[in-house]
């Protein structure tokens, strides 16, 4: 893991050095996805799609532009976003009769249409998602994948008959998150956001936060229970079994390219990024160690090994560029390829291949046991996860009074907003919220000394 002090500089450089993005595009906060970075992001999206499929969500794709009328239907919501949206005001030289918003998120667009789609209880639950770009005029300093103005965004939106069914959805979302982040080897903490920091319009919000080497947390997913806060203004009603009409209960689950930012940060080291095998565009790279007179033999062996690896369902690449092996090692370590195979004359004679995982494990594998690299990748992923988990756990501090600590702090809390805000102020941290699953607390509030109802989790955040 990268040292805390060096992290920001390292991160800003590595995203370009590893060819994930190009930050030279002249619109602030809007970067170019380079082919390698885009492939990784698409592999992340593929895991999300798989999870959505498994849980019966259907993919939709709504227009980028939202009419002002839709956007205004939810006054609270507008308060949440109005200062952060981009407006389209002209078409050619003509001013538009109705201004259009570049979607900052899609509640208002989807819900206006859901009110047409949903007629009866037989239409419920409605479970949809989309993966689209959204736009937010961020005023804070931008940072590749972490704080950008054009965001690669995933959003699931569901409608339910009643509160209980919406609550079941939230449980399912938490389980989806658990499977999803495990595949990315990313441990996180789950917190119910305090009321003063929930999503505008939400009944409650849950945030999933990853601890970065900078000791700041990064929110990588959020889940919201809307109750009927949107269905009433957007008139999303259904006819119940009793013939009466009811407003739906709704939930959302959102994630973004920040997930990639978290992977880069949490798994990175001095040599570059480390990709979990589930999302690596190249899982195995073969480096021919060429000696004079052996050229053809070695290349032939490399091609054979590649074929066998691909037959196992693993993407594999032979690096036959005119560069030294050392330079090639450097390049692929920078880009986080999970496993490297070296093949030279001695290996052919001894009937072995030499492997090296991106986290530094080196071994020889008998040529006829090449399928063992599958296990090696599994163990590599597990090591990435365990190392990150150790780091996270080591930096969660359960305290009973205010103390200066790095990472995540948990303090006994009476539940009053003023005490929570006082903690934020004194520690110069932000509240992540109360731990989920709930944790018993028999202490006294760290501010007022009253009986603590729960814990408040705080951290410096991105
Ligand atoms: Zn208190």
């Amino acid at each position: 893991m990268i040292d805390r002090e060096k992290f920001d500089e390292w991160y800003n450089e590595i995203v370009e050095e590893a060819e994930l993005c190009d930050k030279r595009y002249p619109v602030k906060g809007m970067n170019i996805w380079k082919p390698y970075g885009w492939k990784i992001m698409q592999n992340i999206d593929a895991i999300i799609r798989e999870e959505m499929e498994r849980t019966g969500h259907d993919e939709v794709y709504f227009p980028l532009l939202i009419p002002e009328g839709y956007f205004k239907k939810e006054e609270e919501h507008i308060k949440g976003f109005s200062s952060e949206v981009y407006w389209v005001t002209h078409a050619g030289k003509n001013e538009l009769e109705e201004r259009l918003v570049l979607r900052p998120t899609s509640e208002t667009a989807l819900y206006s249409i859901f009110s047409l789609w949903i007629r009866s209880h037989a239409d419920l639950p409605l479970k949809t998602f989309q993966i689209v770009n959204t736009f937010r005029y961020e005023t804070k300093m931008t940072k590749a994948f972490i704080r950008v103005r054009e965001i690669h965004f995933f959003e699931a939106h569901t409608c339910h008959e009643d509160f209980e069914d919406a609550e079941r959805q939230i449980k399912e979302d938490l389980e989806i998150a658990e499977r999803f982040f495990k595949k990315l080897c990313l441990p996180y903490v789950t917190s119910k956001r305090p009321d003063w920091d929930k999503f505008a319009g939400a009944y409650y919000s849950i945030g999933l936060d990853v601890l970065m080497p900078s000791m700041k947390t990064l929110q990588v997913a959020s889940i919201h229970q809307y109750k009927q806060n949107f269905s009433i203004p957007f008139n999303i009603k259904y006819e119940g079994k009793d013939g009466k009409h009811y407003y739906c209960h709704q939930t959302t689950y959102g994630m973004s390219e920040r997930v990639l930012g978290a992977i880069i940060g949490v798994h990175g080291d001095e040599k570059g990024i480390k990709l979990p095998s589930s999302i690596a565009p190249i899982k195995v790279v073969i480096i021919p160690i060429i000696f004079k007179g052996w050229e053809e033999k070695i290349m032939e062996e490399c091609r054979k090994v590649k074929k066998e690896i691909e037959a196992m369902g693993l993407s594999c690449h032979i690096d036959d560029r005119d560069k030294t092996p050392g330079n090639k090692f450097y390049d692929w370590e920078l880009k986080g390829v999970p496993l490297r195979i070296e093949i030279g004359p001695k290996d052919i004679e001894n009937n072995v291949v030499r492997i090296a995982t991106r986290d530094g494990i080196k071994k020889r594998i008998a040529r006829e046991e090449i399928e063992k690299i599958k296990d090696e990748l599994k163990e590599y992923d597990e090591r990435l996860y365990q190392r990150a988990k150790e780091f996270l756990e080591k930096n969660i501090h359960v305290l009973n009074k205010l103390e200066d600590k790095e990472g995540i702090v948990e303090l006994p809390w009476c539940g009053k907003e003023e005490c929570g805000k006082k903690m934020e102020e004194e520690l110069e941290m932000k509240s992540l919220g109360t731990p989920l699953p709930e944790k018993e607390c028999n202490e006294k509030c760290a501010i007022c000394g009253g009986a603590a109802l729960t814990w408040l989790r705080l951290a410096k955040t991105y």
Side-chain angles (χ1 to χ4, degrees), residues 412-420 423 444-452:
W413 180 42
C414 64
K416 275 189 284 191
E417 184 169 332
E418 60 177 289
C419 288
M423 290 180 201
K444 291 197 165 58
C445 175
I447 299 292
C448 70

Side-chain angles (χ1 to χ4, degrees), residues 309-367:
I309 290 169
E310 283 172 340
M312 293 189 257
L314 303 173
S315 52
C316 181
H317 173 73
I318 300 173
D319 187 351
D320 57 3
R321 292 176 300 166
D322 190 18
K323 277 186 156 189
T324 65
N327 281 329
K328 293 178 183 178
F329 296 172
Y330 176 90
D331 287 350
W332 298 111
E333 281 172 348
L334 177 63
K335 289 183 150 192
V337 170
L339 196 133
R340 174 178 87 215
I341 291 181
E342 299 157 39
I343 298 174
K346 276 234 169 82
D347 306 304
I348 296 180
E349 279 175 357
N350 296 332
N351 206 28
V352 296
V353 295
R354 273 174 291 157
I355 66 159
T357 59
R358 175 59 182 82
D359 63 337
I361 304 282
K362 290 181 181 166
K363 277 184 190 169
R364 280 188 163 73
I365 291 184
R367 182 62 186 78

Side-chain angles (χ1 to χ4, degrees), residues 101-298:
V101 170
L102 292 190
R103 62 180 159 225
T105 170
S106 303
E107 275 78 3
T108 58
L110 273 85
Y111 299 173
S112 301
I113 300 304
F114 283 179
S115 72
L116 306 174
W117 287 358
I118 295 170
R119 285 282 159 260
S120 93
H121 59 86
D123 300 324
L124 299 173
L126 178 75
K127 295 165 80 170
T128 61
F129 76 99
Q130 61 176 8
I131 299 177
V132 293
N133 52 352
T134 60
F135 293 81
R136 290 182 202 173
Y137 179 67
E138 285 281 357
T139 47
K140 288 189 200 164
M141 184 128 85
T142 58
K143 199 175 191 65
F145 309 122
I146 290 179
R147 181 166 284 111
V148 288
R149 291 177 174 175
E150 178 172 356
I151 309 159
H152 182 74
F153 195 58
F154 156 85
E155 50 184 328
H157 296 263
T158 66
C159 299
H160 305 267
E161 283 190 48
D162 50 31
F163 182 72
E164 285 66 40
D165 201 53
E167 286 289 284
R168 256 196 299 282
Q169 184 57 48
I170 294 208
K171 268 200 200 123
E172 183 179 272
D173 292 344
L174 289 169
E175 181 216 306
I176 290 169
E178 202 176 316
R179 290 167 57 100
F180 173 74
F181 286 108
K182 184 71 212 288
K183 283 183 185 161
L184 304 180
C185 312
L186 275 183
Y188 56 90
V189 291
T190 307
S191 317
K192 191 171 181 179
R193 295 283 187 248
D195 272 344
W196 63 88
D197 196 34
K198 65 184 182 187
F199 184 68
Y203 173 59
Y204 67 77
S205 296
I206 294 171
L208 274 55
D209 301 283
V210 163
L211 182 63
M212 299 285 267
S214 56
M215 292 292 171
K216 287 188 203 166
T217 58
L218 179 68
Q219 175 178 304
V220 287
S222 57
I223 297 167
H224 309 289
Q225 163 67 275
Y226 287 158
K227 243 180 158 177
Q228 295 169 314
N229 294 350
F230 284 88
S231 65
I232 293 172
F234 285 91
N235 202 32
I236 312 174
K237 277 195 278 196
Y238 69 95
E239 191 179 314
K241 291 185 185 92
D242 56 6
K244 287 186 191 156
H245 288 85
Y246 301 95
Y247 288 107
C248 290
H249 285 254
Q250 295 179 279
T251 79
T252 57
Y253 174 9
M255 295 192 287
S256 74
E257 60 188 89
R258 278 190 160 197
V259 169
L260 176 56
I263 291 166
I264 297 164
V266 169
H267 300 313
D269 65 15
E270 297 293 344
K271 291 178 178 173
I273 64 171
K274 278 193 212 113
L275 293 174
S277 68
S278 59
I279 56 161
I282 298 170
K283 296 188 195 346
V284 180
V285 64
I286 301 176
I287 314 282
I289 311 293
I290 304 286
F291 277 75
K292 242 200 152 97
W294 280 81
E295 293 89 344
E296 231 353 87
K297 237 180 174 171
I298 286 169

Side-chain angles (χ1 to χ4, degrees), residues 86-102:
Y86 288 91
W87 291 99
V88 176
T89 58
H90 286 76
K93 286 183 177 161
N94 302 323
E95 199 167 320
L96 293 173
E97 251 171 63
E98 183 175 17
R99 298 194 297 169
L100 303 165
V101 170
L102 292 190

Side-chain angles (χ1 to χ4, degrees), residues 436-455:
L436 284 180
E438 278 168 37
K439 257 171 69 175
E440 212 189 321
C441 184
N442 299 313
E443 310 278 326
K444 291 197 165 58
C445 175
I447 299 292
C448 70
L453 302 175
T454 182
W455 299 88

